[in-house]
Amino acid sequence: MPELPEVEVVRAGLEPAVTGATAASVTVFDERSLRRHEGPSEDFIDRLTGRTFLTPQRRGKFMWLPLADSAEGHDEALVTHLGMSGQVLLRDRNTDDRLTRIRIELDHPDHGALRLNFVDQRIFGSMAIDSMLPSVDQPAFAVPSQVAHIARDPLDPYFDDAKFLRALKAKRTTVKRALLDQTLVSGIGNIYADEALWAAQVHYNQPTESLSRAKAVLLLAEAREVFAKALAEGGTSFDTQYLNVNGESGYFAHSLNVYGQQGRECPRCGREVVREQFMNRGSHFCKFCQRVRGSAAR
């Protein structure tokens, strides 16, 4: 599933081509990609056609394109979630993509006629027009109602480190489960959780209440570091299910230390990386470098 770096790469790629563009026409090929939209495809098409997009925004794995004021006067946005295999591809008007579920023809004052294709092989992703609400922790900043429950991510300039550390300590769960809880911290999925935990030398099953403050601070720093590295390499692609807006793969898969590396040597100690079943997926780690530790010092 695309995580924060992949969604941010898509958002940044869309920004110059979409900001200020108008939706000249909208075609819905598969209504299953509107599962989060309240209303039929005709409503989605009518409400989006003729609207002008503002600068794309993101929180965690959610991305949205704010829309210029509606006829009713309330703020709305086109919310996109990539799900497992969703892609948002920028094309010229003559380029088609297989498995396109939604197509938006764009007119941009500088770039001319463009085409935005929402492609989704497994159809777990979605698009929806949603109303905007004031953010709980920053009322001057609006977010779509579907995103209101999502916490800020570690790259957000308004992310509150102290608040996160307190909440992590009080969570009474294991540390990887906490990292995957999007109401606590957003944008971290299985890949980057495993990579950050390896970098901080923390076992995925370490109880949060026994994690020392120093380790928690280090873990947060390592999560930011792995995000920064992944962004620099265009995200992580194992196949064609994640592509940037130009249809190109990211290269961070070549820099992974433990995720998907079971059976190989740990880059730090040389012992074998293992994979264990975890929440209907897997956790990849080094048994020697990442051990469950005793209670944190008081």
Side-chain angles (χ1 to χ4, degrees), residues 17-30:
V18 171
T19 305
T22 299
S25 67
V26 181
T27 306
V28 177
F29 297 104
D30 196 323

Side-chain angles (χ1 to χ4, degrees), residues 194-206:
D194 282 358
E195 290 296 302
L197 288 165
W198 177 84
Q201 299 186 54
V202 175
H203 193 282
Y204 73 91
N205 227 15
Q206 181 76 39

Side-chain angles (χ1 to χ4, degrees), residues 3-4 72 128 164 187 215:
E3 300 177 26
L4 182 155
E72 293 77 18
F164 166 76
K215 272 293 185 183

Side-chain angles (χ1 to χ4, degrees), residues 11 20 42 57 89 110 112 152-153 161 175 183 203 242 289:
R11 188 211 65 79
E42 292 81 4
Q57 306 290 326
L89 303 175
D110 298 323
R152 293 184 182 275
D153 63 68
D161 287 25
V175 68
T183 66
H203 193 282
Y242 162 68
C289 293

Side-chain angles (χ1 to χ4, degrees), residues 190 194-195 238 256-267 271-277 281-286:
N190 207 40
D194 282 358
E195 290 296 302
F238 296 107
L256 294 171
N257 290 300
V258 286
Y259 185 87
Q261 307 303 305
Q262 61 269 24
R264 299 182 180 180
E265 291 184 357
C266 169
R271 291 167 174 84
E272 184 180 358
V273 173
V274 298
R275 180 186 186 274
E276 292 184 354
Q277 195 69 21
R281 62 194 86 182
S283 273
H284 307 78
F285 67 105
C286 172

Side-chain angles (χ1 to χ4, degrees), residues 53-64:
F53 295 110
L54 305 178
T55 304
Q57 306 290 326
R58 179 194 55 75
R59 178 168 290 189
K61 303 173 189 179
F62 281 88
M63 178 181 67
W64 65 93

